[in-house]
Amino acid sequence: MFVEIITPDRKVFSAEASVVTLPGVNGSFQILNDHAALVSTLKKGLLTADKESFEIEGGVVEVLNNKVLILAEGVN
């Protein structure tokens, strides 16, 4: 699936990944290939896409048709 991480000022990450782990407000969760459509809020925490890791400041994720779009408030 295609993963993009975008902040208000730049595109942080854009690549194919087989698994994405996200810090949801009710606990972390994973997105795999062919996941059902989803929109969820994210809290501050660790986001991983395969072997890449990012510390995000919270945000929103949208999953649709094997595309994962993460709109992060900030990435450290």
Side-chain angles (χ1 to χ4, degrees):
M1 70 191 140
F2 188 72
V3 180
E4 280 188 303
I5 303 172
I6 300 172
T7 65
D9 59 340
R10 66 187 173 108
K11 185 184 288 190
V12 176
F13 179 79
S14 179
E16 290 287 325
S18 58
V19 62
V20 179
T21 304
L22 302 156
V25 292
N26 294 321
S28 66
F29 61 98
Q30 289 187 326
I31 304 294
L32 301 171
N33 207 24
D34 295 323
H35 197 283
L38 168 79
V39 174
S40 182
T41 54
L42 303 172
K43 67 177 183 177
K44 182 177 181 177
L46 185 65
L47 180 155
T48 59
D50 285 343
K51 295 180 180 179
E52 299 286 331
S53 296
F54 305 91
E55 189 71 32
I56 65 167
E57 297 295 322
V60 177
V61 60
E62 177 190 56
V63 180
L64 185 62
N65 298 327
N66 281 328
K67 182 174 180 184
V68 180
L69 176 61
I70 296 123
L71 303 174
E73 294 172 11
V75 175
N76 296 329

